[in-house]
Amino acid sequence: MSKKISGAEYPLAKIFSSDFEYVIPSYQRPYAWTEDEASELINDLFDFYDNEPEEGYFLGSIVLIKEEDRPKSEVIDGQQRLTTLTILLAALASTLQGTDRETLLKYIREPGNKFEGLEAKPRLSLRDRDKDFFGRYVQGLHFEELSQLNESGIGNESQKNLRKNALLMRDRLSRRFDNPEIMKGFVQFLLQRCFLVAVSTPNEQSAFRVFSVMNSRGLDLQPTDIIKADVIGKIESEPERDSYSERWEEIEVTLGRSRFNDLFAYIRMIYAKEKARRALLEEFRSHVINRGFSPQSLVAELLEPYAEALSTALNADYASPTNAQNINNYLKWLNRIDNSDWIPPAIKFLAAHKNEPEYLAWFFRKLERLAAYLHICSKNVNQRIERYSKLISELEDPHNIAHPITSIELTPPEKAEMLREMNGDVYYLAARRRNYLILRLDSFLADGAATYDHNILTIEHVLPQTIYEDSEWRIDWPDEEIQQQWTHRLANLVPLNFRRNAQASNFPFTRKKDSYFTGKKQVSSFALTSQVLNAPNWTPDFLQERQIELLDVLSENWELQ
């Protein structure tokens, strides 16, 4: 087998010839182009045909697994385009008669040639679920039958898209061209002056690598699609294979494509317990599939329970007669963390203990504190993964509410480090870390009753960052060194749900709290800001006392003493 990666530009007459026999692998997404994409394509073609009588029209690229000198071509990227172009050719052929129809039909179906060893078959074979439907109605030119089908009785969304786009193409062509003779010029343009670049590579790995770096107009192929082919393709029974394929796709639909792909990265972390060093496709095979999971157990015992746990974690919608509110509250805070490294231990624990709400509440209270420590203390990804890996490892050992895991606890040095960080100039923390700390403190002051869904969040200094010589602030803050000592610390910061007014930032304390901090509604939605409104003055002694009180609140709620 040649290992050469090749690419060339071909007219559609060559693309739909005996040189290529297109097969859509089972892991590919269903046909998903809607009437919007189909309309855009045919409108572009009509416009170019009318205005560019000599130029060639570039339709994009396709990526194939294909050996040299062999027609079989697995489509890695380009199935949406190839399918829609086949629909267009079929719609054109269905309007022609006699030899013209037979000539155009050769670009849709290989007629076969026993002397050349060519078998009669479609140029393009869709996924097994849609292949027969596409072959009968579209490639078989049975457009009248297709139009009479009741959409509610059509098997799936892919076939509905095929039907809609086929009828749309047929309708647009009949309205655009008065008679078949005029249409022939458009057919010649389509076959001779419309081009695709076909990139061929001899194996899956290189094809996927090529696809990953190409800018494509089709739907993205993800590593999970390849994994699906590996896993589901090993099920020998066709009915069982279809059943597990449907279960796989149901998980993806429920989570959404992005979260579904994230799920595989989280599962990889649960089993690898280390930072990824290679592509997800390779690592998932190495760390998960190669552990001996059968296809059925991988879907039923791994993907489905972890997908359910991931959905619960990200949506914070755990349901139980007891502890549900507390659990979901902790999950909401975890989702405010600026990384997702907490998710693998979270879904592992949730999948295993979903019917133990008391233990779940304990676990997520501890996990939120651990994640907050790593977040506020600016731990890098390697430090976070090392810390969570210890937790994941311990989750594999026996444990329960009476004998809970211990690696989720903060060590005395970690507690001391967190307190030092919170007692420093927290305003200089990265915005998401600073905001998390201040909102979490606000929630502790509000006894957990507050919700935080503001579109705008700013952190304001009560004592201004700059005090002018003629400012009333000079009366209580004559010493610039003391002023700098307190300006950026927790006691001097308040959250606002509107944008700063630079001029108002330097208002005297009385005016600032009576107008600026209350906003247009003359009330603050933050407990921290309400405390400021009730403060009689804003002096160094008051801030020192306030700093101690706020740190005590954080220490008590996060159990840092």
Side-chain angles (χ1 to χ4, degrees):
M1 178 189 298
S2 170
K3 295 184 178 180
K4 181 181 178 182
I5 297 175
S6 62
E9 184 180 78
Y10 300 106
L12 291 191
K14 185 73 167 178
I15 288 290
F16 292 103
S17 73
S18 300
D19 289 354
F20 297 92
E21 178 188 319
Y22 302 106
V23 177
I24 307 300
S26 60
Y27 56 77
Q28 279 280 17
R29 305 306 307 137
Y31 178 67
W33 270 23
T34 67
E35 292 170 296
D36 290 338
E37 287 90 359
S39 291
E40 182 181 358
L41 174 63
I42 197 166
N43 287 341
D44 287 348
L45 290 169
F46 283 162
D47 183 66
F48 195 91
Y49 174 65
D50 289 337
N51 297 293
E52 302 290 345
E54 296 181 359
E55 296 296 319
Y57 182 83
F58 179 57
L59 284 160
S61 59
I62 57 177
V63 180
L64 311 171
I65 298 175
K66 181 181 182 298
E67 295 182 41
E68 287 187 71
D69 303 323
R70 294 189 179 182
K72 184 177 180 181
S73 308
E74 284 192 41
V75 181
I76 297 300
D77 178 48
Q79 73 140 324
Q80 308 292 328
R81 210 164 16 255
L82 287 170
T83 305
T84 308
L85 288 169
T86 299
I87 293 172
L88 176 56
L89 289 172
L92 285 163
S94 70
T95 65
L96 301 175
Q97 301 295 328
T99 57
D100 288 339
R101 172 184 281 217
E102 291 301 316
T103 299
L104 191 51
L105 189 58
K106 292 178 182 179
Y107 298 101
I108 301 165
R109 300 184 63 88
E110 167 59 55
N113 186 320
K114 65 180 180 180
F115 297 112
E116 295 182 16
L118 295 176
E119 179 185 350
K121 63 176 66 174
R123 299 278 183 213
L124 170 66
S125 294
L126 298 191
R127 304 185 326 154
D128 287 344
R129 289 188 182 183
D130 304 321
K131 180 168 60 177
D132 291 342
F133 181 93
F134 189 59
R136 172 177 172 77
Y137 294 109
V138 178
Q139 293 166 308
L141 309 186
H142 293 131
F143 279 69
E144 295 304 322
E145 288 184 39
L146 188 62
S147 66
Q148 294 171 13
L149 290 179
N150 187 334
E151 185 174 327
S152 62
I154 295 177
N156 57 49
E157 197 65 29
S158 174
Q159 293 175 16
K160 291 177 182 177
N161 289 330
L162 292 169
R163 176 181 179 272
K164 288 178 181 178
N165 290 343
L167 298 180
L168 176 142
M169 293 287 189
R170 176 74 178 266
D171 179 66
R172 295 296 303 277
L173 290 168
S174 64
R175 288 192 285 118
R176 177 66 171 74
F177 300 106
D178 293 336
N179 61 67
E181 291 302 316
I182 299 176
M183 186 184 293
K184 289 179 183 178
F186 181 73
V187 174
Q188 292 173 351
F189 155 73
L190 196 64
L191 293 173
Q192 298 174 21
R193 291 201 289 124
C194 291
F195 298 86
L196 276 170
V197 169
V199 179
S200 299
T201 178
N203 58 62
E204 177 187 276
Q205 186 174 2
S206 60
F208 186 72
R209 185 169 63 251
V210 169
F211 167 78
S212 297
V213 298
M214 291 183 66
N215 180 26
S216 171
R217 290 174 62 184
L219 296 183
D220 290 345
L221 178 69
Q222 298 292 339
T224 52
D225 299 318
I226 310 292
I227 294 168
K228 179 186 177 185
D230 282 353
V231 173
I232 303 300
K234 292 176 182 176
I235 301 176
E236 295 183 0
S237 164
E238 184 174 348
E240 189 178 18
R241 187 166 59 245
D242 289 344
S243 173
Y244 276 92
S245 180
E246 287 180 7
R247 289 170 69 171
W248 183 292
E249 292 181 11
E250 180 63 28
I251 298 169
E252 183 171 0
V253 169
T254 301
L255 286 179
R257 191 151 171 82
S258 177
R259 286 182 174 181
F260 182 69
N261 287 294
D262 291 340
L263 173 66
F264 283 74
Y266 301 143
I267 293 174
R268 183 218 67 85
M269 175 61 186
I270 289 171
Y271 283 88
K273 304 179 186 65
E274 64 182 15
K275 185 178 179 180
R277 292 178 172 82
R278 294 162 293 170
L280 175 61
L281 178 62
E282 187 177 353
E283 291 227 345
F284 194 87
R285 282 172 171 165
S286 173
H287 292 292
V288 183
I289 295 176
N290 289 350
R291 285 181 177 252
F293 285 102
S294 69
Q296 295 88 337
S297 64
L298 191 139
V299 173
E301 299 171 18
L302 208 64
L303 293 186
E304 288 179 334
Y306 279 139
E308 180 184 354
L310 179 60
S311 178
T312 298
L314 296 180
N315 296 320
D317 60 0
Y318 177 74
S320 171
T322 60
N323 287 296
Q325 183 174 347
N326 286 337
I327 293 166
N328 289 327
N329 189 46
Y330 293 129
L331 287 171
K332 288 176 182 177
W333 284 107
L334 282 163
N335 277 289
R336 287 182 173 271
I337 300 290
D338 73 345
N339 62 78
S340 61
D341 298 324
W342 60 271
I343 293 180
I347 64 174
K348 181 173 178 61
F349 191 92
L350 186 54
H353 301 278
K354 66 178 182 179
N355 297 322
E356 303 172 53
E358 182 182 359
Y359 198 13
L360 283 174
W362 178 91
F363 176 84
F364 283 113
R365 176 165 60 88
K366 300 289 186 178
L367 184 63
E368 188 274 330
R369 179 183 65 170
L370 175 58
Y373 157 72
L374 297 169
H375 188 42
I376 292 167
C377 293
S378 306
K379 299 301 180 182
N380 62 42
V381 62
N382 292 321
Q383 292 169 315
R384 297 194 304 266
I385 288 178
E386 182 181 0
R387 190 65 170 80
Y388 286 125
S389 293
K390 294 178 182 177
L391 175 56
I392 293 171
S393 294
E394 191 182 2
L395 289 176
E396 295 177 349
D397 299 328
H399 58 91
N400 54 51
I401 186 65
H403 301 284
I405 54 177
T406 59
S407 57
I408 199 170
E409 301 282 4
L410 294 184
T411 65
E414 288 172 338
K415 292 178 180 180
E417 180 186 8
M418 192 173 184
L419 283 169
R420 284 195 305 273
E421 194 71 43
M422 295 189 299
N423 196 29
D425 288 340
V426 300
Y427 186 76
Y428 288 133
L429 291 175
R432 293 194 66 174
R433 295 186 173 97
R434 178 185 67 216
N435 292 356
Y436 188 92
L437 172 59
I438 290 175
L439 287 183
R440 197 67 177 106
L441 172 58
D442 192 85
S443 74
F444 290 145
L445 291 170
D447 295 325
T451 58
Y452 303 93
D453 298 315
H454 306 291
N455 293 325
I456 298 173
L457 175 67
T458 58
I459 304 300
E460 176 66 15
H461 297 79
V462 181
L463 171 69
Q465 299 184 65
T466 302
I467 298 179
Y468 299 109
E469 289 299 326
D470 59 349
S471 171
E472 292 184 19
W473 287 102
R474 283 290 179 194
I475 298 172
D476 290 323
W477 296 86
D479 189 320
E480 187 172 336
E481 184 176 342
I482 295 177
Q483 173 201 339
Q484 292 302 318
Q485 178 185 343
W486 285 104
T487 301
H488 302 299
R489 294 175 73 183
L490 205 55
N492 189 51
L493 303 175
V494 293
L496 303 176
N497 58 359
F498 50 87
R499 299 192 186 282
R500 288 190 186 92
N501 180 328
Q503 184 177 0
S505 296
N506 292 290
F507 284 168
F509 179 59
T510 301
R511 182 182 176 191
K512 197 170 187 178
K513 71 174 183 175
D514 289 346
S515 59
Y516 183 34
F517 287 159
T518 56
K520 295 180 180 179
K521 296 182 179 180
Q522 296 300 305
V523 65
S524 173
S525 58
F526 298 105
L528 272 170
T529 313
S530 297
Q531 284 187 339
V532 176
L533 300 178
N534 294 323
N537 52 52
W538 207 256
T539 64
D541 288 342
F542 180 82
L543 258 66
Q544 184 168 8
E545 180 181 343
R546 175 175 167 79
Q547 181 78 2
I548 293 171
E549 291 175 352
L550 295 180
L551 287 174
D552 283 346
V553 170
L554 291 167
S555 181
E556 179 182 354
N557 282 273
W558 270 329
E559 300 175 328
L560 300 178
Q561 294 296 348

